[in-house]
Amino acid sequence: MEKKKKITIAIVTILVVALDLYILLHHNPLDNHTQEIIKKVISCVILNAIYVVFLFGYDKIVILPIELFQNRQLIWKLAKNDFKTRYAGSYLGIFWAFVQPIITVLLYWFVFTIAIPSRATTLNGDLEIPYVLWLIAGIVPWFYFSEALSSGTNALLEYNYLVKKVVFKISILPIIKLISAVFVHLFFIAFTLILFSCYGMYPDLYTLQIFYYSACMFLFTLGLCYITCSIVIFFRDLGQIISIALQVGIWATPILWNLNSMLASHPQYAWMKFLFKLNPMNYIVEGYRNALIDKIWFYETFYSTAYFWILTLCLFAVGALVFKRLKVHFADVL
């Protein structure tokens, strides 16, 4: 075990050093010199801070992904069972999993294209596309995030009878909920590709990035769920707070409206662009649109990608530490 620990730390050290060098040597011609230096310093400081936390909390942080890997077959079986039993007893079964998102898309499409006429312009030139395509490219990842965060937060409460079993690895419960939500998400990805094809925008190599951004969203949500599912046991109001935050989040994230168009119409609010970029879901939503509409590779948005992964790794490390610290009290509280 000690040998594996040394090898792991050595590999992570090499990766951190390589990322530091890449950040320092990378040049973005769109940024002015001062902004670029600030971005580089902040990125390196945060990255190295996470590395220090990793070194001191290695045993508590690493044990979580190890448990998930060792129980991968059980996780897959429970995830499929969770998806099948979620709508057990209803006449239409899993059909209900697709009804609400489809109705929501149709409602927003009607409001913003018929009741309040609007057209979305891509960020790549002057090409205009039907609003429904621009909308669905951004709202599909939000559907997954919303469902996965809500169900993942309540995973331990829902499976409280398993939490009370001493021999059961309760660390696998949040990821079961996230994988269960993936099945519906895959359907909507297929639906999105079909809809784009109907408008003459067929899948290409850029489209494959959808799976990269889906993986990004999965890992980000997983790290967040380990924090929320641990806290909600002791503070049940957190579930209601998350529901409100998700309602606000769909408007705070440029999903229904175009950030660049808003800033072009109101240049006095240009400073707000930085605030919106801090929202990690903005990276995912923009990523889906880059893959389907703007045809931009993820590595072309270097600082956004670096920021997202640094934040995700930080969340996962914090989530692992919080979960490890509080799980000894779960059975007593439940």
Side-chain angles (χ1 to χ4, degrees):
M1 181 62 69
E2 190 64 27
K3 183 178 180 181
K4 291 182 179 180
K5 179 178 179 179
K6 291 180 179 179
I7 294 174
T8 303
I9 291 177
I11 293 174
V12 173
T13 302
I14 293 173
L15 290 175
V16 170
V17 172
L19 283 172
D20 281 338
L21 291 175
Y22 186 80
I23 291 172
L24 293 173
L25 298 176
H26 176 79
H27 174 66
N28 187 350
L30 299 179
D31 286 337
N32 64 48
H33 186 64
T34 303
Q35 288 180 340
E36 192 167 15
I37 291 177
I38 294 174
K39 288 180 179 179
K40 288 180 178 181
V41 171
I42 293 175
S43 299
C44 289
V45 168
I46 296 176
L47 179 62
N48 288 280
I50 295 173
Y51 175 66
V52 172
V53 173
F54 172 78
L55 290 179
F56 285 98
Y58 174 86
D59 294 326
K60 294 180 180 179
I61 295 174
V62 172
I63 192 172
L64 182 56
I66 290 177
E67 287 182 356
L68 297 180
F69 179 78
Q70 291 175 341
N71 294 276
R72 58 190 181 281
Q73 294 182 346
L74 177 61
I75 290 173
W76 178 248
K77 291 179 181 179
L78 291 177
K80 290 191 295 183
N81 183 69
D82 180 87
F83 180 72
K84 292 177 181 178
T85 58
R86 186 182 305 180
Y87 304 96
S90 60
Y91 288 107
L92 297 180
I94 63 173
F95 176 73
W96 291 113
F98 311 104
V99 172
Q100 182 179 352
I102 290 177
I103 291 177
T104 303
V105 171
L106 292 176
L107 179 62
Y108 285 139
W109 170 77
F110 173 80
V111 170
F112 289 103
T113 59
I114 299 178
I116 307 175
S118 171
R119 289 183 66 84
T121 302
T122 67
L123 306 179
N124 189 20
D126 299 324
L127 175 64
E128 289 189 350
I129 64 169
Y131 179 78
V132 66
L133 297 185
W134 190 86
L135 170 65
I136 199 170
I139 205 169
V140 163
W142 182 264
F143 282 151
Y144 174 80
F145 175 71
S146 178
E147 169 64 21
L149 180 59
S150 298
S151 58
T153 297
N154 296 312
L156 300 182
L157 296 175
E158 182 177 339
Y159 289 104
N160 61 79
Y161 58 92
L162 293 177
V163 176
K164 297 174 183 178
K165 292 183 178 293
V166 179
V167 295
F168 188 82
K169 296 290 184 181
I170 61 174
S171 59
I172 71 174
L173 295 177
I175 197 173
I176 288 172
K177 287 294 185 180
L178 269 65
I179 294 177
S180 177
V182 165
F183 298 127
V184 177
H185 184 60
L186 291 176
F187 165 81
F188 278 105
I189 287 178
F191 176 78
T192 301
L193 295 180
I194 293 172
L195 185 61
F196 268 77
S197 298
C198 291
Y199 280 87
M201 302 179 68
Y202 300 101
D204 53 19
L205 286 177
Y206 291 97
T207 308
L208 294 177
Q209 293 182 107
I210 287 180
F211 299 103
Y212 160 75
Y213 286 110
S214 295
C216 291
M217 182 168 52
F218 181 90
L219 292 175
F220 170 76
T221 310
L222 181 61
L224 190 58
C225 281
Y226 275 112
I227 298 175
T228 57
C229 77
S230 301
I231 297 175
V232 76
I233 293 178
F234 306 93
F235 182 60
R236 300 298 175 92
D237 292 343
L238 180 61
Q240 303 303 322
I241 294 175
I242 289 176
S243 297
I244 296 174
L246 289 173
Q247 292 178 16
V248 175
I250 194 172
W251 295 98
T253 306
I255 295 174
L256 306 176
W257 51 279
N258 192 313
L259 176 60
N260 282 0
S261 297
M262 186 273 285
L263 295 178
S265 302
H266 305 280
Q268 67 271 25
Y269 297 118
W271 59 272
M272 295 181 65
K273 185 174 183 179
F274 174 75
L275 297 179
F276 286 112
K277 291 288 185 180
L278 292 178
N279 179 358
M281 279 305 297
N282 180 70
Y283 174 74
I284 302 297
V285 170
E286 282 191 353
Y288 271 66
R289 288 173 176 155
N290 288 341
L292 293 169
I293 300 172
D294 297 329
K295 308 302 180 183
I296 298 175
W297 291 108
F298 71 92
Y299 54 78
E300 295 182 50
T301 56
F302 172 75
Y303 286 113
S304 296
T305 300
Y307 166 74
F308 177 84
W309 278 110
I310 289 173
L311 179 62
T312 299
L313 292 174
C314 184
L315 267 180
F316 196 87
V318 172
L321 293 173
V322 170
F323 189 86
K324 178 70 174 178
R325 180 69 178 271
L326 297 180
K327 76 173 185 177
V328 294
H329 305 291
F330 290 164
D332 297 333
V333 176
L334 293 173

